[in-house]
Amino acid sequence: MLSIEGVTVTYGSVPAVDGVTLEIATGDVLAVLGPSGCGKSTLLRAVAGLEPLLSGRILHDGGDLRGVPTHKRGFALMFQDGQLFGHQSVGANVAYALRIRHTPRGRTRERVSELLELVGLGGYGERAPATLSGGERQRVALARALAVEPSLLLLDEPLSALDKTLRERLAEDLRGILTEAGTTALLVTHDHEEAFAVADRMALMRAGRLVQDGTLGEVWEHPVDAEAASFLGYASVLEGAAAAKVLTAAGLPGAGVVALRRSALRVSGAGPLRGVVLSSRLTPETLRLDVDVEGLGPLGAVAAGGDKSPGVGEVVHLEVDPERLAVVGRR
Amino acid sequence: MRRLLTLAGLAAGPLLVLGVFFVLPVSGMLGEGIWPGGDFSPGAVLDVLARPRTHRVLWFTVWSAGLACALTLLLGIPAAYVLYRLRFPGRGLLRAFFLVPFVLPTVVVGIAFTQLIEQWGLGFLDDSPWAIIAAMVFFNLAVVVRTVGTTWESLDPRPGEAAAALGATPWRVFCTVTVPALRGSMISAATVVFLFCATAFGVVLVLGGLRYATVETEIYLLTTNLLDLQAAAALCLLQLLVVTLLLYAAHRSRAQASPTLDRRTPSPQRIRRGDLPAVVVTTLVLALVVIPIASLVIGSFTVDDGWSLANYRNLDRLGTSDQLEAIRVTDALVNSLRTAFDATWIALLVGGLVAIIVTRRSHTGTERRLRGVLDGFFMLPLGVSAVTLGFGFLITLDQPTVNFRDSPMLVPMAQALVAMPLVVRTIAPVLAGIDDRQRQAAASLGAGPLRTVVSIDLAVVWKPLLAAAGFAFAVSLGEFGATSFISRSDHPTLPVVIFQLLGQPGQDNYGMALAASVVLAVTTGLVMLAVERLRVPGVGGF
């Protein structure tokens, strides 16, 4: 159990992290999500012991970490671009923490090949880091971090430097490896897909402050405000009369602020909303439309592809899928 | 074809200058050794090398330089850490201060240590090699601090942090992560320091007397005192060989340098308890730098154990000895400034052209090969010590065909050749760092070749160019090795006069030498302060 209690970190006089309180239960993976410069990496570095706290405290299994230097915390840190030691082979990189702990040589060898198998790089031990691809380097960095079974794994945008396909695959692998090993992990990222793919719980940060935290479902279904909703990947946010109209159309009670995904509005002959198609574009899965909806303004919508697909300027009816919208700031 | 012609046109000037003022003197000097009087007799070289005195000189050169180099690294690396990785008030000033010894004229360094020994009653050091080694360390600390420090400053801290998070203690992080990343710059600094120590001239001449001679001072003594030109040429030959090999090794180590690929400048840290040993060493180093300078300054203001400005007043008087041929120190200072000015513009012009030539991208195989050959050729002056150059000037440039012996440009030319590699080394990396696509973008927007140079190259390079000018000026001001051979007796430069003053008996002359040294040091110091204000990274680093 890691407890972050009212932690503030400043650079000069500028607060980078401002009174953040968070908890990570043992075995959980927490993703701290926020735009770049929101202080999430600073928070991670503070947990690692690389940034001094101005106030607040960080407890690990009940013990205060103040004054405990980085190398005595028993955590492991994995950076965006791996930060492998370029002058050492892949095997030596993975064995680094084992050598520090004077693990017998035979055991080290075993463990290294075990870890390289785990990350899908069996037999890569003799290679130089410079000869690996970006994805392979991240896998080695993960193996190196896991070598001594850290009580907390700190991941700083571990997948952000990779291209999309690789990121998706590695995110899945990462999730698998972390749950299998039962590793407690703190992940910081600006990419909500990465957070959803890897974490159990999520915390949103903005301008140094924590704005929301909870399980993935809680956060996803009830973003705390419009900005949080946009950041989580909702296509548009509606307020007031427009929000009420959408809720009514979806058959939901109440009013407030509503966040819509693009697929929340679907073209349907009997739909309660009406609008004029502004543009349409075919994607591999659906037909994506921009529709000027009466009383709501221009919004994204989807339609089934094929011959009957509506053209630009055509009037269409739309239905609202209640599963694909979120009521903001209300539980 | 047109590109090749442009290349040839650009290269013609530097080639001519180097041909006359470098190839000719050096080959003349080699000729003196191998073809004495027109007979081919390489055996004579071996005879010289077999002399016991030569062995002593060689052995002293190697061990004193090796020891000084090791000590410099040992003291310089902690200082580099403190000055470039830690945050404390007055850091910028301290960094500039550490550069002072490097630009102090070698004669001044020699005098500072002589004065230190005298003033502190360290007479037992007077006749030992330790003063020489201490002076070498004093002189070269700046090289280590600058070279290693600038690399350290831009070292990505994250691999170290990753290691710390994996459980590595700070010391372990230093050994397994930091040192491998700094290895390239450390080897580079070590090679250059060894080179500077092994070819130290002014310092050894002043402190070593006749008893302790390095190859450089031996060449000087053989030429000027013993008139044994053949032996001097043999030593020059040997030195040329060794220095070239060392430089090649340094070049290779740089080429395969640090493995860390991407860099970003981390913000310096506050001083923590673990930094204490480094801070202590740095304080020690600071003392080593301050004390000789302080004792020089104090000595210059002292006459007969009392404070006095007499030494400075004497600077404007005629010397009391006929050997000085009635030269005022103030006149010598004016000579020095004039000479350094000429040397600077020559070095900038030739060095600038060389930098442009070696950094432009080649388009064809022929062009690339040609550029490679030119690159190698232009780096040759690096491999020749100032004394060899001066000696070469002395014996070749008085022939009827190329008679520059009485030309007022002879000394500036020699100093320019000494300073030119520094100019190239400051400007070339900056030019090479400009993405060629920037020039292409400018050209595609309608800029002609000249306009491209002005708007792209010059915009980036003017500051380093100015810094290189200041550096070349400071080096020329203090240049002693080559100048001591060819300085004209009616127009000596200040370092030459200081050395002559030292050779004269009498407290007056010694006091004048101290005061003149302070004047020279202050002048070069002011120039370097201006350079430091430009904040060009890497100046003075290797």
Side-chain angles (χ1 to χ4, degrees):
Chain A
M1 169 85 116
L2 184 86
S3 312
I4 299 168
E5 296 178 357
V7 163
T8 298
V9 181
T10 55
Y11 288 129
S13 59
V14 187
V17 174
D18 194 357
V20 168
T21 299
L22 265 179
E23 276 194 355
I24 310 173
T26 305
D28 261 7
V29 179
L30 172 77
V32 175
L33 187 64
S36 53
C38 73
K40 58 187 190 301
S41 288
T42 308
L43 179 66
L44 185 95
R45 293 170 59 82
V47 173
L50 296 166
E51 301 289 346
L53 306 186
L54 186 73
S55 63
R57 53 183 197 159
I58 298 172
L59 305 168
H60 184 244
D61 291 337
D64 195 340
L65 290 177
R66 176 175 297 273
V68 180
T70 303
H71 65 275
K72 290 197 178 136
R73 295 197 175 189
F75 301 163
L77 182 56
M78 179 178 160
F79 284 103
Q80 182 173 355
D81 42 5
Q83 296 299 338
L84 298 180
F85 308 137
H87 56 284
Q88 295 179 352
S89 69
V90 165
N93 263 285
V94 176
Y96 188 81
L98 297 166
R99 283 201 307 275
I100 289 172
R101 286 163 181 75
H102 305 291
T103 313
R105 222 171 261 187
R107 175 77 194 113
T108 300
R109 239 193 329 268
E110 252 171 59
R111 181 86 180 120
V112 167
S113 61
E114 204 176 285
L115 284 159
L116 286 176
E117 287 295 338
L118 180 71
V119 297
L121 291 177
Y124 273 55
E126 296 305 313
R127 299 265 297 261
T131 66
L132 303 182
S133 71
E136 287 167 341
R137 274 203 285 271
Q138 284 306 79
R139 285 167 188 271
V140 175
L142 180 62
R144 182 176 72 180
L146 291 174
V148 286
E149 290 161 6
S151 55
L152 177 68
L153 180 61
L154 303 167
L155 303 153
D156 189 0
E157 310 241 357
L159 307 174
S160 299
L162 308 175
D163 63 58
K164 193 168 187 301
T165 13
L166 198 57
R167 192 165 61 220
E168 281 168 9
R169 221 178 57 219
L170 202 54
E172 217 167 281
D173 290 356
L174 182 59
R175 169 88 195 148
I177 289 166
L178 292 181
T179 42
E180 194 181 327
T183 309
T184 314
L186 172 61
L187 166 90
V188 307
T189 179
H190 67 268
D191 177 7
H192 61 275
E193 287 179 23
E194 188 173 316
F196 279 112
V198 180
D200 306 304
R201 297 178 62 85
M202 191 185 290
L204 291 182
M205 260 184 94
R206 213 156 55 212
R209 289 176 176 277
L210 190 72
V211 292
Q212 187 175 10
D213 74 303
T215 64
L216 291 186
E218 285 164 10
V219 175
W220 175 243
E221 280 156 30
H222 300 286
V224 70
D225 54 23
E227 211 175 322
S230 308
F231 199 75
L232 286 168
Y234 284 97
S236 38
V237 179
L238 298 174
E239 294 177 31
K245 188 168 182 182
V246 168
L247 284 172
T248 315
L252 295 171
V257 181
V258 175
L260 297 176
R261 292 174 73 183
R262 177 173 277 274
S263 55
L265 297 182
R266 178 176 296 278
V267 172
S268 154
L273 299 175
R274 250 166 58 96
V276 180
V277 177
L278 298 173
S279 69
S280 75
R281 196 157 55 86
L282 191 64
T283 67
E285 283 165 32
T286 58
L287 187 68
R288 302 178 67 157
L289 301 174
D290 284 316
V291 181
D292 189 2
V293 184
E294 280 172 17
L296 302 179
L299 286 173
V302 293
D307 295 339
K308 289 183 290 172
S309 60
V312 173
E314 229 173 274
V315 175
V316 290
H317 288 266
L318 300 162
E319 62 177 15
V320 182
D321 184 349
E323 295 292 306
R324 292 179 183 272
L325 60 79
V327 179
V328 174
R330 205 187 63 185
R331 298 237 164 154
Chain B
M1 204 55 215
R2 208 171 133 220
R3 292 189 60 91
L4 283 181
L5 282 178
T6 316
L7 178 61
L10 279 177
L15 278 177
L16 187 71
V17 170
L18 252 70
V20 174
F21 294 100
F22 176 73
V23 176
L24 202 64
V26 172
S27 55
M29 178 273 296
L30 294 185
E32 193 69 36
I34 305 176
W35 286 278
D39 301 322
F40 180 65
S41 57
V45 172
L46 297 176
D47 285 347
V48 174
L49 297 184
R51 289 180 196 165
R53 161 111 189 148
T54 309
H55 286 171
R56 262 208 322 278
V57 168
L58 277 179
W59 173 233
F60 179 72
T61 307
V62 171
W63 82 255
S64 63
L67 186 66
C69 177
L71 283 172
T72 313
L73 280 178
L74 221 59
L75 294 172
I77 289 171
Y81 172 76
V82 170
L83 288 175
Y84 285 86
R85 269 323 259 269
L86 298 183
R87 189 176 53 198
F88 54 89
R91 191 171 71 134
L93 203 67
L94 211 55
R95 277 194 205 175
F97 187 73
F98 268 86
L99 193 64
V100 169
F102 184 63
V103 292
L104 278 187
T106 51
V107 178
V108 174
V109 175
I111 294 183
F113 275 80
T114 315
Q115 174 62 19
L116 182 67
I117 289 166
E118 186 133 317
Q119 200 174 356
W120 286 31
L122 304 170
F124 61 96
L125 282 177
D126 212 0
D127 207 22
S128 85
W130 299 111
I132 295 177
I133 288 167
M136 284 174 174
V137 173
F138 168 84
F139 190 64
N140 286 300
L141 271 167
V143 176
V144 175
V145 171
R146 298 286 273 202
T147 310
V148 179
T150 45
T151 314
W152 212 332
E153 187 179 30
S154 61
L155 204 62
D156 193 332
R158 288 172 300 170
E161 289 168 1
L166 290 170
T169 58
W171 175 244
R172 183 135 191 158
V173 171
F174 177 74
C175 293
T176 58
V177 180
T178 313
V179 168
L182 290 179
R183 199 181 50 192
S185 68
M186 283 184 186
I187 293 175
S188 194
T191 323
V192 172
V193 169
F194 183 81
L195 205 65
F196 283 167
C197 290
T199 59
F201 177 63
V203 164
V204 184
L205 201 60
V206 173
L207 289 174
L210 281 174
R211 176 136 176 231
Y212 293 102
T214 60
V215 175
E216 286 271 292
T217 58
E218 187 71 1
I219 292 170
Y220 177 80
L221 289 176
L222 285 170
T223 317
T224 55
N225 289 14
L226 307 173
L227 301 175
D228 186 351
L229 291 190
Q230 200 184 352
L235 284 179
C236 280
L237 201 64
L238 181 74
Q239 193 182 39
L240 186 64
L241 204 70
V242 174
V243 169
T244 312
L245 277 177
L246 260 175
L247 278 171
Y248 180 70
H251 178 72
R252 285 291 298 272
S253 79
R254 252 203 301 279
Q256 48 179 265
S258 27
T260 319
L261 291 172
D262 56 345
R263 313 216 135 157
R264 59 169 200 185
T265 305
S267 51
Q269 296 169 340
R270 269 168 276 189
I271 299 176
R272 288 172 304 191
R273 210 174 42 193
D275 299 326
L276 198 65
V279 172
V280 168
V281 174
T282 309
T283 315
L284 201 76
V285 171
L286 190 64
L288 182 67
V289 174
V290 170
I291 292 171
I293 296 177
S295 72
L296 174 69
V297 174
I298 293 169
S300 76
F301 285 106
T302 313
V303 172
D304 298 330
D305 297 326
W307 295 103
S308 162
L309 286 171
N311 290 329
Y312 287 88
R313 278 196 292 272
N314 280 342
L315 294 184
D316 201 25
R317 289 196 195 128
L318 293 174
T320 51
S321 147
D322 20 293
Q323 257 181 301
L324 278 170
E325 294 180 25
I327 294 293
R328 285 194 192 96
V329 172
T330 42
D331 292 339
L333 179 64
V334 173
N335 285 339
S336 271
L337 291 172
R338 281 210 183 113
T339 315
F341 179 78
D342 287 334
T344 303
W345 70 257
I346 298 172
L348 275 189
L349 191 68
V350 181
L353 277 175
V354 169
I356 290 175
I357 292 166
V358 299
T359 53
R360 275 298 160 97
R361 265 186 53 193
S362 305
H363 286 248
T364 62
T366 324
E367 198 186 341
R368 188 170 321 122
R369 275 191 294 279
L370 195 61
R371 250 179 238 283
V373 170
L374 286 174
D375 192 4
F377 179 72
F378 289 136
M379 285 301 118
L380 275 180
L382 267 181
V384 175
S385 73
V387 168
T388 307
L389 195 69
F391 180 46
F393 268 50
L394 187 68
I395 61 171
T396 52
L397 296 183
D398 55 353
Q399 313 293 326
T401 42
V402 276
N403 191 353
F404 292 98
R405 192 70 195 94
D406 296 319
S407 162
M409 290 311 278
L410 190 68
V411 176
M413 207 62 186
Q415 296 183 347
L417 281 177
V418 173
M420 197 192 79
L422 289 170
V423 174
V424 177
R425 258 195 308 233
T426 309
I427 299 175
V430 180
L431 283 181
I434 300 174
D435 194 328
D436 211 30
R437 285 173 298 181
Q438 294 233 314
R439 299 188 188 104
Q440 290 159 3
S444 76
L445 293 172
L450 196 66
R451 184 65 191 263
T452 307
V453 167
V454 170
S455 57
I456 306 294
D457 294 273
L458 210 59
V460 178
V461 99
W462 74 268
K463 250 177 149 186
L465 205 62
L466 214 57
F471 213 28
F473 191 79
V475 166
S476 302
L477 266 184
E479 212 292 322
F480 181 59
T483 312
S484 57
F485 282 86
I486 50 175
S487 175
R488 289 182 304 161
S489 49
D490 52 338
H491 281 94
T493 62
L494 193 46
V496 173
V497 169
I498 292 173
F499 184 66
Q500 286 171 346
L501 281 171
L502 265 193
Q504 304 300 314
Q507 201 57 41
D508 275 6
N509 286 322
Y510 183 69
M512 270 169 78
L514 291 180
S517 296
V518 172
V519 170
L520 186 55
V522 167
T523 314
T524 47
L526 286 177
V527 173
M528 279 325 288
L529 204 65
V531 169
E532 188 70 7
R533 297 288 297 191
L534 288 171
R535 297 189 179 280
V536 176
V539 175
F542 290 87

